[in-house]
Amino acid sequence: MLRQETIQIIQSTVPVLEVHGTDITKRFYQMMFANHPELLNIFNHANQKKGRQQTALANAVYAAAKHIDQLETILPVVKEIGHKHRSLGIKPEHYPIVGENLLAAIKDVLGEAATDEIIQAWAEAYGVIADAFISVEADLYEKAEQQEGGWEGFRPFRVEKKVTESDVITSFYLVPQDGNKIAKFEPGQYVSVRMEIPGEKNVHIRQYSLSDAPGKPYYRISVKREDGQANQPEGKVSTYLHKQVEEGDVLWLSAPAGVFTLDLNESRPMVFLSGGVGLTPMVSMLHTLLEKNPSHQATFIHSAHNGNVHAMKDKIEELAQKHEQVSVFWAYTEPTVQDRERKAYHKEGYIDLGWLKEVLATTNARFYLCGPVPFMSAMKGLLLQCGVAESDIHWEFFGPAATL
């Protein structure tokens, strides 16, 4: 328990964190990687370059400070981050390193404003917060290892099949190299893939949603090749997977993790709303839902640039034909001539309020969102305008948590 004096000091820093939080976390990562370059084998370098990791940490520190007197309110966030930490291999011995460099970054950025009293209060608070993470993650590590088919750390899987799903998305069917059982997972969860790429100094770890229903003798990940744009480089891991990894090669996987999961106890209709490669966990969810309850009402709405990059379209349409209570709708922002000739989509352009109201059979449903952050932010806003209760909207971030 924190002393009341410590709580008051931490809360007094909330306005400062609101202004300088990202500056502090940027400096934190610079200092930590300079002091402990081995941690570059754990953290996603691309998210560092884009500033996503720094922003996510700044938001987490701000939330911890704001709710320091009621830390139980941020336990869901602790659990969500804990799943990611477990899949990456974050261990208790990493927390003192983080604490030391975070406090040093606060002092460095705020200068004289970061008095000894403030630094001491934050040291005390960080100890409590770190203990919460370590406790949650210890339980996750134990469950991941001791469940049937489970394992510790990373396990070798062989690429049994490599399937092109679209111009930019390829699926990899992965079976354990040792031939033993694999751990169960909940639809919506992901695995971390650890890769050593020739010519790269550091190991790279990326997280990919499992895109098939549980209960198969394999895991399937469906990876979008990030070709890069003017303001950002191509994705090293996704490009390597697409261009270099072939059937028979070995990938190292963590046990499945994640809190964005399908609620199979929900009797109301389900709505899956995705953009781009965000459909991957939704495909797993829809398949599982219909395997468990073939008569469950569901709506699958997906936004893509066009049919060339729209993955798994035929498979989803086959499910809808087989289950008449399932509706599917496609929105293409840049349809090709062939898309128009085949009438392959239901809306041209971005999803808007009027069209969404037309295709939704009901707002009394459970909604799942996944895709780029701007897409999910826009969709959440539209759903709220439709009258959907915020508690019925659930989403998954690919990468560090952001805000909608």
Side-chain angles (χ1 to χ4, degrees):
M1 294 291 292
L2 289 172
R3 295 177 295 119
Q4 187 60 36
E5 179 184 4
T6 300
I7 290 173
Q8 291 173 350
I9 294 172
I10 295 296
Q11 288 179 328
S12 73
T13 65
V14 169
V16 177
L17 291 173
E18 193 168 12
V19 176
H20 299 287
T22 303
D23 292 333
I24 290 171
T25 55
K26 285 180 179 177
R27 184 64 182 131
F28 155 72
Y29 282 114
Q30 291 170 357
M31 298 175 78
M32 185 174 70
F33 292 142
N35 294 328
H36 295 273
E38 72 277 6
L39 294 181
L40 287 168
N41 293 311
I42 295 178
F43 285 83
N44 186 318
H45 303 183
N47 289 331
Q48 291 287 327
K49 290 178 180 178
K50 295 175 186 177
R52 291 187 64 189
Q53 191 73 56
Q54 295 90 331
T55 301
L57 179 58
N59 289 339
V61 172
Y62 174 78
K66 189 174 181 180
H67 301 284
I68 197 69
D69 58 335
Q70 293 178 308
L71 283 177
E72 65 274 8
T73 63
I74 65 169
L75 277 178
V77 178
V78 171
K79 186 176 180 181
E80 178 182 354
I81 298 174
H83 271 264
K84 292 187 177 182
H85 283 180
R86 197 274 296 157
S87 77
L88 291 169
I90 300 293
K91 296 295 180 67
E93 56 265 30
H94 293 128
Y95 281 91
I97 296 173
V98 171
E100 177 184 348
N101 287 278
L102 183 59
L103 294 175
I106 292 173
K107 186 71 174 177
D108 190 65
V109 172
L110 299 185
E112 293 182 358
T115 64
D116 291 343
E117 185 181 44
I118 287 176
I119 294 298
Q120 180 56 42
W122 263 107
E124 186 180 339
Y126 175 80
V128 171
I129 295 168
D131 286 344
F133 273 99
I134 291 170
S135 175
V136 166
E137 289 160 18
D139 182 58
L140 294 176
Y141 274 108
E142 183 179 359
K143 288 179 178 177
E145 184 180 0
Q146 294 188 3
Q147 65 179 313
E148 184 180 12
W151 67 93
E152 179 184 7
F154 290 84
R155 179 180 175 186
F157 279 70
R158 179 173 53 83
V159 179
E160 184 178 57
K161 189 165 58 171
K162 181 180 179 181
V163 178
T164 299
E165 304 285 4
S166 77
D167 285 359
V168 294
I169 296 176
T170 294
S171 287
F172 298 82
Y173 290 73
L174 309 169
V175 297
Q177 191 178 43
D178 59 18
N180 294 326
K181 291 183 177 180
I182 56 176
K184 296 179 181 178
F185 67 92
E186 295 185 62
Q189 289 192 307
Y190 55 82
V191 292
S192 286
V193 179
R194 189 185 71 190
M195 300 198 65
E196 295 184 20
I197 299 175
E200 288 290 320
K201 180 180 179 181
N202 298 110
V203 171
H204 294 272
I205 301 176
R206 296 293 185 270
Q207 292 160 332
Y208 296 109
S209 294
L210 293 160
S211 61
D212 207 341
K216 309 293 192 297
Y218 59 81
Y219 292 143
R220 185 178 74 183
I221 58 172
S222 301
V223 180
K224 179 188 176 186
R225 187 185 68 248
E226 300 292 348
D227 292 324
Q229 300 171 0
N231 61 341
Q232 63 185 43
E234 68 178 20
K236 290 181 179 179
V237 175
S238 66
T239 300
Y240 188 79
L241 283 167
H242 273 251
K243 295 183 178 180
Q244 303 297 328
V245 173
E246 301 295 345
E247 294 177 358
D249 289 344
V250 172
L251 300 179
W252 290 79
L253 270 60
S254 73
V259 298
F260 178 70
T261 56
L262 180 69
D263 182 3
L264 289 170
N265 294 318
E266 176 63 76
S267 60
R268 294 179 301 165
M270 302 283 195
V271 179
F272 306 102
L273 185 50
S274 58
V277 74
L279 62 74
T280 52
M282 308 301 200
V283 172
S284 175
M285 288 182 174
L286 182 62
H287 274 281
T288 305
L289 178 68
L290 297 178
E291 284 180 7
K292 300 295 184 181
N293 184 358
S295 63
H296 203 119
Q297 184 177 343
T299 302
F300 198 105
I301 304 170
H302 182 64
S303 175
H305 290 307
N306 50 55
N308 292 339
V309 296
H310 185 177
M312 305 177 185
K313 177 176 183 287
D314 292 342
K315 296 182 180 69
I316 299 301
E317 289 182 342
E318 287 172 9
L319 279 177
Q321 291 172 1
K322 185 177 179 181
H323 302 270
E324 61 180 17
Q325 81 286 359
V326 175
S327 302
V328 296
F329 299 96
W330 316 128
Y332 287 177
T333 56
E334 302 169 8
T336 64
V337 173
Q338 291 79 10
D339 290 331
R340 292 191 176 98
E341 289 175 349
R342 294 196 303 263
K343 297 181 180 179
Y345 56 92
H346 303 88
K347 174 176 174 53
E348 182 169 344
Y350 293 99
I351 296 172
D352 56 34
L353 183 61
W355 185 73
L356 193 58
K357 285 183 174 180
E358 288 180 13
V359 300
L360 288 179
T362 178
T363 56
N364 183 22
R366 191 174 182 90
F367 291 78
Y368 294 91
L369 307 181
C370 193
V373 174
F375 169 83
M376 291 197 296
S377 182
M379 292 306 101
K380 181 185 176 185
L382 292 180
L383 291 175
L384 292 176
Q385 290 182 63
C386 288
V388 175
E390 187 163 5
S391 59
D392 285 332
I393 306 174
H394 309 272
W395 56 84
E396 169 77 323
F397 291 108
F398 286 162
T403 57
L404 298 186

